[in-house]
Amino acid sequence: MNTPVEARLTQLCGKSLREASNGELYQALLKLTQECSEKKVAPVKGRKLYYISAEFLIGKLLSNNLINLGLYDEIRGALSAAGKDLAELEELENEPSLGNGGLGRLAACFLDSLATLDLPGDGIGLRYHCGLFRQDLKDGFQKEHPDMWLTDTGWAQRTDTVYPVVLAGKTYNARLYRLAVTGYNGRTNTLNLFDLDTIDESIIGQGIDFDKTDIEKNLTLFLYPDDSDRAGKLLRVYQQYLMVSAGAQLILAECVARGCKYDDLAKYAAIQINDTHPSMVIPELIRLLGEHGVDFDKAVEIVTETCAYTNHTILAEALEKWPRGDLALIVPQLMPIIEKLDRLARTRTQDSSTYIIDDAGLVHMASMDIHFTHSTNGVAALHTQILKDSELSNFYRLYPEKFNNKTNGITFRRWLLECNPALASQIESLIGGGFKKDARELGKLMDYVDNDAVLAKFSSIKRDNKRALADWLYLKQGVRINPDAMFSIQSKRLHEYKRQQLNLLFLIHQYLEIKSGHLPSVPLVSIFGAKAAPAYTTAKDIIHALIALSKVIAADAQASKWMQIVFVENYNVTAAEKVIPACDLSEQISLASKEASGTGNMKFMLNGAVTLGTMDGANVEIAERVGEKNIYIFGQSSGQVIASYARGTYRARDWYDSDFNIRRAVDFLTGEEMRSAGSGESLGRLRAQLIDSDWFQTFPDFNAYVVRKTQAMQDYAADPVHWARMSLINVAKAGFFSSDRTIEEYNRDIWHLG
Ligand code: 26V
């Protein structure tokens, strides 16, 4: 018997499911899903959220949407009865890589949770033609290629709505594309993405090079184009203003259509500024309100009440500051407003560190945000505390009431139900399905900590996931890994503060120990997934060193029995969904105080990995929940690190000179074996970088890292049941890290929606 859904699917195909090609089935499913999502669009009564973000790393949508609409099992069954495979269909979908990493993925998780919780909340961003570059690792170096993800038909639907945006005196038409965001058993919201009709993909040259000055053709061509040169920096300002000006016009149009009178905007809209990329929405809204007759002081009050700001980093180099000359060139219409805001801020404080425009003529976007929004939040308890105590302490003194913490979260629909169906169904068989909507119910798993049958099942699911990852890696990259080894995984953006180089030095150390006859307690497969910013030389050198080391090890008959390094090419959401469920040991080893939160750490935990980490970001809150026996913590505390930076006395060379293990590992980088597997120039540069700078203090944590990782390996080898118990406890305690909880807190404290 055909269900109505099956009947509609067949109708959309125009032929039987069996006869339809995978392409036809995919298009029919796309249409069907859109129809079902459409039915869940709900009217908005009170305040509606607009989450403005330069990144929305949404990942593939077919399975996710089917799961959220409750159609997944039915469709998969119908397809399989017709000899078709849903997973194969999803292979046809390009991943929209509209984000760099955690910040963009967080925005995507938030949209899922808003819709799931039945809260009115839309996203506003850009429809980049090429998402983050596609990474190619041939010849041991990262090469970047354009990632053309757009197809003629896709999830984002073109509309007839265009908003005029004036950039450097010239008017451009920002066209609105709308993408349905369907919650799990909830409502449908919208991700609004803006684009220009005039973008010309043919201007892309070698790799990801293109003419950065031809705005009409390139404005939305790439996500975060390489900003190592001036034209790239200017292009980012152009992009940001396109996003916020079109976004602000959309917000006002929607609110006015619901009865807003401009001076009561805050009753209709809450605007969340995701990091400083959308900060120009503040002066832009003031400008637009002015055009509708609202005077400056009143507009400032309205905007402050409407907008809130999230800070996602304490790295000074990542806090955006634009030269006023550049802004005067690109957005002259905003400059008088920004100058007035600066003067207004100066009436509130004598503290020049909080001024918007500094003596060098730089416009500090975060300062504008803090003065002229009603809320500034950090993204994990430690991060917020550091903002209050040090990075933004002068602002905290001025506005203590504005500061609050919202610890990040992840959507359990994608990061458990979709990516790890076997674990999800085991959990459901034990505690029922309530955890899908109320993640804290995962706590009920604690009833099974001593149940050997349950623990054995946990282990066998993990083993199956490891085998599946091994098969996938073989298919994709032709490498074979040993599924019986312990899998340690570090997957995240490549950055020195995240310290992939610490993992690298450990692996060299391990190799040298094996060569000198000290065998480890268990074979280790070390998996990395990471993209480096195209202009970030040290990050690229670290990738290269890892690949060179993997070759050295693979060529050694003895060592390769005990260790293996795999670099997953082009790590993205799709790869993460394969990698994360297969992890035993989750590497979260940033220098304490530097990782604002991390969200990968939460995804690994939820999938039963045990964390090896520093007391940084949300690791602190993970440790608090699982207890010290179920996590491997090491390294300097954030307090120690902050004090050491303040003293400025850290000398990497002293550690290199005085510590045999560090010197041996660092020198190995440029030894015979590595140079025959890689580039002497790149390896030499990395070695020098470590000895002469090591800005993120790899060496002081090195020995502690070796000790804890060795301990984890011993525990894993000695008692698999105990390891499975730690794994179960990690899953049971992961409930807090659901983005549903995070969104409930934002709504309770900041947005007050609906
Ligand atoms: C940006 C830049 C730009 C230029 C130079 C170096 C650099 C380094 C870091 C960044 C990060 C920008 C903001 C960001 O992506 N933050 C991430 O946000 C996640 C979601 O809140 C959080 O989990 C990560 O810890 C945080 O790094």
Short mmCIF file of all heavy atoms in Angstrom, two decimals, residues 41 95 124 173 202 235 261 297 313 437 538 547 589 596 604-605 637 697 729:
data_model
loop_
_atom_site.label_atom_id
_atom_site.label_comp_id
_atom_site.label_asym_id
_atom_site.label_seq_id
_atom_site.Cartn_x
_atom_site.Cartn_y
_atom_site.Cartn_z
N VAL A 41 5.12 26.65 8.04
CA VAL A 41 5.39 28.07 8.27
C VAL A 41 4.29 28.61 9.18
O VAL A 41 3.11 28.37 8.94
CB VAL A 41 5.41 28.85 6.93
CG1 VAL A 41 5.55 30.35 7.18
CG2 VAL A 41 6.54 28.34 6.05
N GLU A 95 27.57 19.99 -0.72
CA GLU A 95 27.48 20.62 0.61
C GLU A 95 27.65 22.13 0.47
O GLU A 95 28.63 22.59 -0.11
CB GLU A 95 28.56 20.07 1.54
CG GLU A 95 28.57 20.87 2.84
CD GLU A 95 29.55 20.39 3.89
OE1 GLU A 95 29.86 19.20 3.94
OE2 GLU A 95 29.97 21.26 4.69
N ILE A 124 20.02 35.78 8.51
CA ILE A 124 20.33 36.70 7.42
C ILE A 124 21.80 36.56 7.10
O ILE A 124 22.66 36.67 7.99
CB ILE A 124 20.01 38.16 7.81
CG1 ILE A 124 18.50 38.34 7.98
CG2 ILE A 124 20.57 39.14 6.76
CD1 ILE A 124 18.10 39.74 8.43
N ASN A 173 21.84 45.89 -6.65
CA ASN A 173 20.58 45.27 -6.23
C ASN A 173 20.85 43.94 -5.53
O ASN A 173 21.35 43.01 -6.14
CB ASN A 173 19.67 45.02 -7.44
CG ASN A 173 19.04 46.32 -7.90
OD1 ASN A 173 18.69 47.17 -7.06
ND2 ASN A 173 18.93 46.50 -9.20
N SER A 202 33.22 33.29 -14.05
CA SER A 202 34.33 33.08 -15.00
C SER A 202 35.54 33.94 -14.66
O SER A 202 36.60 33.77 -15.25
CB SER A 202 33.86 33.35 -16.42
OG SER A 202 33.72 34.74 -16.60
N LEU A 235 37.19 44.12 0.15
CA LEU A 235 36.08 43.28 -0.30
C LEU A 235 35.24 42.76 0.86
O LEU A 235 34.03 42.66 0.78
CB LEU A 235 36.65 42.12 -1.14
CG LEU A 235 35.63 41.18 -1.77
CD1 LEU A 235 34.53 41.94 -2.49
CD2 LEU A 235 36.34 40.24 -2.75
N LYS A 261 5.78 50.73 13.74
CA LYS A 261 5.76 52.15 13.36
C LYS A 261 7.17 52.74 13.40
O LYS A 261 7.35 53.93 13.63
CB LYS A 261 4.89 52.94 14.35
CG LYS A 261 3.48 52.43 14.50
CD LYS A 261 2.56 53.06 13.46
CE LYS A 261 1.13 52.62 13.62
NZ LYS A 261 0.92 51.19 13.28
N ASP A 297 18.89 60.47 18.43
CA ASP A 297 18.92 59.94 19.80
C ASP A 297 17.92 58.80 19.99
O ASP A 297 18.21 57.78 20.61
CB ASP A 297 18.61 61.05 20.81
CG ASP A 297 19.75 62.06 20.87
OD1 ASP A 297 20.87 61.68 20.42
OD2 ASP A 297 19.53 63.20 21.31
N THR A 313 35.63 35.34 20.12
CA THR A 313 37.08 35.12 20.21
C THR A 313 37.74 36.18 21.08
O THR A 313 37.26 37.31 21.17
CB THR A 313 37.73 35.15 18.81
OG1 THR A 313 39.13 34.91 18.95
CG2 THR A 313 37.55 36.48 18.13
N LYS A 437 13.90 15.61 21.87
CA LYS A 437 13.41 16.97 22.07
C LYS A 437 13.90 17.55 23.39
O LYS A 437 14.00 18.75 23.55
CB LYS A 437 11.87 16.99 22.02
CG LYS A 437 11.32 17.18 20.63
CD LYS A 437 10.42 18.42 20.56
CE LYS A 437 10.20 18.88 19.14
NZ LYS A 437 9.43 20.09 19.00
N THR A 538 52.32 29.29 8.54
CA THR A 538 52.64 28.31 9.59
C THR A 538 51.61 27.19 9.62
O THR A 538 51.94 26.01 9.78
CB THR A 538 52.72 28.99 10.97
OG1 THR A 538 53.66 30.07 10.88
CG2 THR A 538 53.16 28.03 12.04
N ILE A 547 51.69 15.45 7.10
CA ILE A 547 51.64 14.54 5.95
C ILE A 547 53.01 13.88 5.74
O ILE A 547 53.10 12.67 5.49
CB ILE A 547 51.16 15.29 4.69
CG1 ILE A 547 49.70 15.72 4.89
CG2 ILE A 547 51.29 14.42 3.44
CD1 ILE A 547 49.13 16.59 3.81
N ILE A 589 42.94 20.39 22.42
CA ILE A 589 44.20 20.68 23.11
C ILE A 589 44.70 22.11 22.91
O ILE A 589 45.90 22.37 22.96
CB ILE A 589 45.26 19.66 22.66
CG1 ILE A 589 45.50 19.71 21.15
CG2 ILE A 589 44.83 18.23 23.04
CD1 ILE A 589 46.62 18.77 20.66
N ALA A 596 37.54 30.02 22.48
CA ALA A 596 36.39 30.63 23.16
C ALA A 596 35.47 29.55 23.73
O ALA A 596 35.09 29.58 24.91
CB ALA A 596 35.63 31.53 22.20
N PHE A 604 31.89 15.30 19.67
CA PHE A 604 32.62 14.06 19.97
C PHE A 604 32.07 13.42 21.25
O PHE A 604 31.85 12.21 21.31
CB PHE A 604 34.11 14.34 20.12
CG PHE A 604 34.83 14.51 18.80
CD1 PHE A 604 35.25 15.75 18.36
CD2 PHE A 604 35.10 13.40 18.00
CE1 PHE A 604 35.91 15.90 17.14
CE2 PHE A 604 35.76 13.54 16.78
CZ PHE A 604 36.17 14.80 16.35
N MET A 605 31.87 14.24 22.25
CA MET A 605 31.36 13.73 23.53
C MET A 605 30.02 13.04 23.34
O MET A 605 29.79 11.92 23.82
CB MET A 605 31.21 14.94 24.47
CG MET A 605 30.54 14.64 25.78
SD MET A 605 30.03 16.20 26.55
CE MET A 605 29.80 15.66 28.24
N SER A 637 46.84 26.13 33.22
CA SER A 637 45.49 26.69 33.35
C SER A 637 45.43 28.02 32.60
O SER A 637 46.48 28.61 32.29
CB SER A 637 45.18 26.94 34.82
OG SER A 637 45.99 28.00 35.29
N GLN A 697 52.63 28.57 23.01
CA GLN A 697 53.19 27.80 24.13
C GLN A 697 52.95 26.29 24.06
O GLN A 697 52.42 25.68 24.99
CB GLN A 697 52.66 28.37 25.46
CG GLN A 697 52.91 29.88 25.56
CD GLN A 697 52.75 30.41 26.97
OE1 GLN A 697 52.36 29.69 27.89
NE2 GLN A 697 53.07 31.68 27.17
N ILE A 729 29.17 7.44 29.98
CA ILE A 729 29.00 8.59 30.88
C ILE A 729 29.10 9.90 30.09
O ILE A 729 28.34 10.84 30.31
CB ILE A 729 30.02 8.54 32.04
CG1 ILE A 729 29.69 7.35 32.94
CG2 ILE A 729 30.04 9.85 32.82
CD1 ILE A 729 30.73 7.05 34.02
#
